[in-house]
Coordinates of all heavy atoms in Angstrom, one line a residue:
F147 N 30.8 109.3 30.8 CA 31.3 109.4 29.4 C 31.6 108.0 28.9 O 31.5 107.7 27.7 CB 32.6 110.2 29.3 CG 32.3 111.7 29.4 CD1 32.6 112.4 30.6 CD2 31.8 112.4 28.4 CE1 32.4 113.7 30.7 CE2 31.5 113.8 28.5 CZ 31.8 114.4 29.6
L148 N 32.0 107.1 29.8 CA 32.3 105.7 29.4 C 31.2 104.9 28.8 O 31.4 104.1 27.9 CB 32.8 105.0 30.7 CG 32.9 103.5 30.7 CD1 34.0 103.0 29.9 CD2 33.0 103.0 32.1
L149 N 29.9 105.2 29.2 CA 28.8 104.4 28.8 C 28.6 104.4 27.3 O 28.3 103.4 26.8 CB 27.5 105.0 29.5 CG 27.3 104.8 30.9 CD1 26.1 105.5 31.4 CD2 27.2 103.3 31.3
L150 N 28.8 105.5 26.6 CA 28.6 105.5 25.2 C 29.5 104.7 24.4 O 29.1 103.8 23.6 CB 28.6 107.0 24.6 CG 28.3 107.1 23.2 CD1 26.9 106.5 22.8 CD2 28.4 108.6 22.7
P151 N 30.9 104.8 24.5 CA 31.7 103.9 23.7 C 31.6 102.5 24.1 O 31.7 101.6 23.3 CB 33.2 104.5 24.0 CG 33.1 105.3 25.1 CD 31.6 105.8 25.3
L152 N 31.3 102.2 25.4 CA 31.2 100.8 25.8 C 29.9 100.2 25.2 O 30.0 99.1 24.6 CB 31.1 100.8 27.4 CG 31.1 99.4 28.0 CD1 32.3 98.6 27.7 CD2 30.9 99.5 29.5
L153 N 28.8 100.9 25.3 CA 27.6 100.3 24.7 C 27.6 100.3 23.2 O 27.0 99.5 22.5 CB 26.4 101.1 25.2 CG 26.0 100.7 26.7 CD1 24.8 101.6 27.1 CD2 25.7 99.3 26.8
A154 N 28.4 101.3 22.6 CA 28.5 101.3 21.1 C 29.3 100.1 20.7 O 29.0 99.4 19.6 CB 29.2 102.5 20.7
A155 N 30.3 99.7 21.4 CA 31.1 98.5 21.1 C 30.2 97.2 21.2 O 30.2 96.4 20.3 CB 32.3 98.3 22.0
V156 N 29.4 97.2 22.3 CA 28.5 96.0 22.4 C 27.5 96.0 21.3 O 27.1 95.0 20.7 CB 27.9 96.0 23.8 CG1 26.8 94.9 23.9 CG2 28.9 95.9 24.9
A157 N 27.0 97.2 20.9 CA 26.0 97.3 19.8 C 26.5 96.8 18.5 O 25.9 96.2 17.7 CB 25.4 98.7 19.7
L158 N 27.8 97.1 18.2 CA 28.4 96.7 17.0 C 28.5 95.2 17.0 O 28.4 94.5 16.0 CB 29.8 97.3 16.8 CG 29.8 98.8 16.3 CD1 31.2 99.3 16.3 CD2 29.2 98.8 14.9
Y159 N 28.9 94.6 18.2 CA 28.9 93.2 18.3 C 27.5 92.6 18.0 O 27.4 91.6 17.3 CB 29.4 92.8 19.7 CG 29.1 91.3 20.0 CD1 30.0 90.3 19.4 CD2 28.0 90.9 20.8 CE1 29.7 89.0 19.7 CE2 27.8 89.5 21.0 CZ 28.7 88.6 20.4 OH 28.4 87.3 20.7
V160 N 26.5 93.1 18.6 CA 25.1 92.6 18.3 C 24.8 92.7 16.9 O 24.2 91.8 16.3 CB 24.1 93.4 19.2 CG1 22.7 93.1 18.8 CG2 24.3 93.1 20.7
Q161 N 25.1 93.9 16.3 CA 24.7 94.0 14.8 C 25.5 93.0 14.0 O 24.9 92.4 13.1 CB 25.1 95.5 14.4 CG 24.8 95.8 13.0 CD 23.3 95.9 12.6 OE1 22.5 95.7 13.5 NE2 23.0 96.0 11.4
G162 N 26.8 92.9 14.2 CA 27.6 91.9 13.4 C 27.1 90.5 13.6 O 27.1 89.7 12.7
R163 N 26.7 90.2 14.9 CA 26.3 88.8 15.1 C 25.0 88.5 14.4 O 24.8 87.4 13.9 CB 26.2 88.6 16.6 CG 25.9 87.2 17.1 CD 26.0 87.1 18.6 NE 25.0 87.8 19.2 CZ 23.7 87.4 19.4 NH1 23.3 86.3 19.0 NH2 22.8 88.2 20.1
H164 N 24.1 89.5 14.4 CA 22.8 89.2 13.7 C 22.9 89.2 12.2 O 22.2 88.5 11.5 CB 21.8 90.3 14.1 CG 21.1 90.0 15.4 ND1 20.1 89.1 15.6 CD2 21.4 90.4 16.7 CE1 19.7 89.0 16.8 NE2 20.5 89.8 17.6
R165 N 23.8 90.0 11.7 CA 24.0 90.0 10.2 C 24.9 88.9 9.7 O 25.0 88.7 8.5 CB 24.6 91.4 9.8 CG 23.6 92.5 9.8 CD 24.1 93.6 9.0 NE 23.0 94.6 8.9 CZ 23.1 95.7 8.2 NH1 24.3 96.0 7.7 NH2 22.2 96.5 8.1
G166 N 25.6 88.3 10.6 CA 26.6 87.3 10.2 C 27.9 87.8 9.6 O 28.6 87.1 9.0
H167 N 28.1 89.1 9.8 CA 29.4 89.7 9.3 C 30.2 90.3 10.5 O 30.6 91.4 10.5 CB 29.0 90.8 8.4 CG 28.2 90.5 7.2 ND1 28.7 89.6 6.2 CD2 27.0 90.8 6.8 CE1 27.8 89.4 5.3 NE2 26.7 90.1 5.7
L168 N 30.4 89.4 11.5 CA 31.0 89.9 12.7 C 32.4 90.5 12.5 O 32.8 91.5 13.0 CB 31.0 88.8 13.7 CG 31.4 89.2 15.2 CD1 30.5 90.3 15.7 CD2 31.3 88.0 16.1
P169 N 33.2 89.8 11.6 CA 34.6 90.4 11.4 C 34.6 91.8 10.9 O 35.5 92.6 11.1 CB 35.3 89.4 10.4 CG 34.5 88.1 10.7 CD 33.1 88.5 11.0
R170 N 33.6 92.2 10.1 CA 33.5 93.5 9.5 C 33.4 94.6 10.6 O 33.9 95.7 10.5 CB 32.3 93.7 8.6 CG 32.6 93.5 7.2 CD 31.5 94.1 6.4 NE 31.0 93.1 5.5 CZ 29.9 93.2 4.8 NH1 29.1 94.2 4.9 NH2 29.6 92.3 3.8
F171 N 32.8 94.2 11.7 CA 32.5 95.2 12.7 C 33.6 95.2 13.8 O 33.5 96.0 14.7 CB 31.1 94.9 13.4 CG 30.0 95.1 12.5 CD1 29.4 94.0 11.8 CD2 29.5 96.4 12.3 CE1 28.4 94.2 10.9 CE2 28.4 96.6 11.4 CZ 27.8 95.5 10.7
C172 N 34.5 94.3 13.8 CA 35.5 94.1 14.8 C 36.4 95.3 14.9 O 36.8 95.7 16.0 CB 36.4 92.9 14.6 SG 35.5 91.4 15.1
F173 N 36.8 96.0 13.8 CA 37.7 97.1 13.9 C 37.1 98.3 14.6 O 37.6 98.9 15.5 CB 38.2 97.5 12.5 CG 39.2 98.7 12.6 CD1 40.5 98.5 13.0 CD2 38.7 100.0 12.2 CE1 41.3 99.6 13.1 CE2 39.6 101.1 12.3 CZ 40.9 100.9 12.7
A174 N 35.8 98.6 14.2 CA 35.1 99.7 14.9 C 34.8 99.4 16.3 O 35.0 100.2 17.2 CB 33.8 100.0 14.1
A175 N 34.5 98.1 16.6 CA 34.2 97.7 18.0 C 35.5 97.8 18.8 O 35.5 98.3 20.0 CB 33.7 96.3 18.1
A176 N 36.7 97.4 18.2 CA 37.9 97.6 18.9 C 38.3 99.0 19.2 O 38.8 99.4 20.3 CB 39.0 96.9 18.1
F177 N 38.0 99.9 18.2 CA 38.3 101.3 18.4 C 37.5 101.9 19.6 O 38.0 102.6 20.4 CB 38.0 102.1 17.1 CG 38.2 103.5 17.2 CD1 39.4 104.2 17.2 CD2 37.0 104.4 17.3 CE1 39.5 105.5 17.3 CE2 37.2 105.7 17.4 CZ 38.4 106.3 17.4
L178 N 36.2 101.5 19.6 CA 35.3 102.0 20.6 C 35.7 101.4 22.0 O 35.6 102.0 23.0 CB 33.9 101.7 20.3 CG 33.3 102.5 19.2 CD1 32.0 101.9 18.6 CD2 33.0 103.9 19.6
G179 N 36.1 100.1 22.0 CA 36.6 99.5 23.2 C 37.8 100.2 23.8 O 37.9 100.4 25.0
V180 N 38.7 100.6 22.9 CA 39.9 101.3 23.4 C 39.5 102.7 24.0 O 40.0 103.1 25.0 CB 40.9 101.4 22.2 CG1 42.1 102.4 22.6 CG2 41.6 100.1 21.9

Side-chain angles (χ1 to χ4, degrees):
F147 287 105
L148 161 77
L149 288 174
L150 182 60
L152 184 62
L153 286 177
V156 176
L158 282 173
Y159 166 76
V160 168
Q161 179 70 5
R163 189 170 63 82
H164 277 281
R165 284 199 171 178
H167 302 293
L168 194 55
R170 262 198 231 170
F171 295 96
C172 282
F173 180 75
F177 176 77
L178 290 165
V180 168

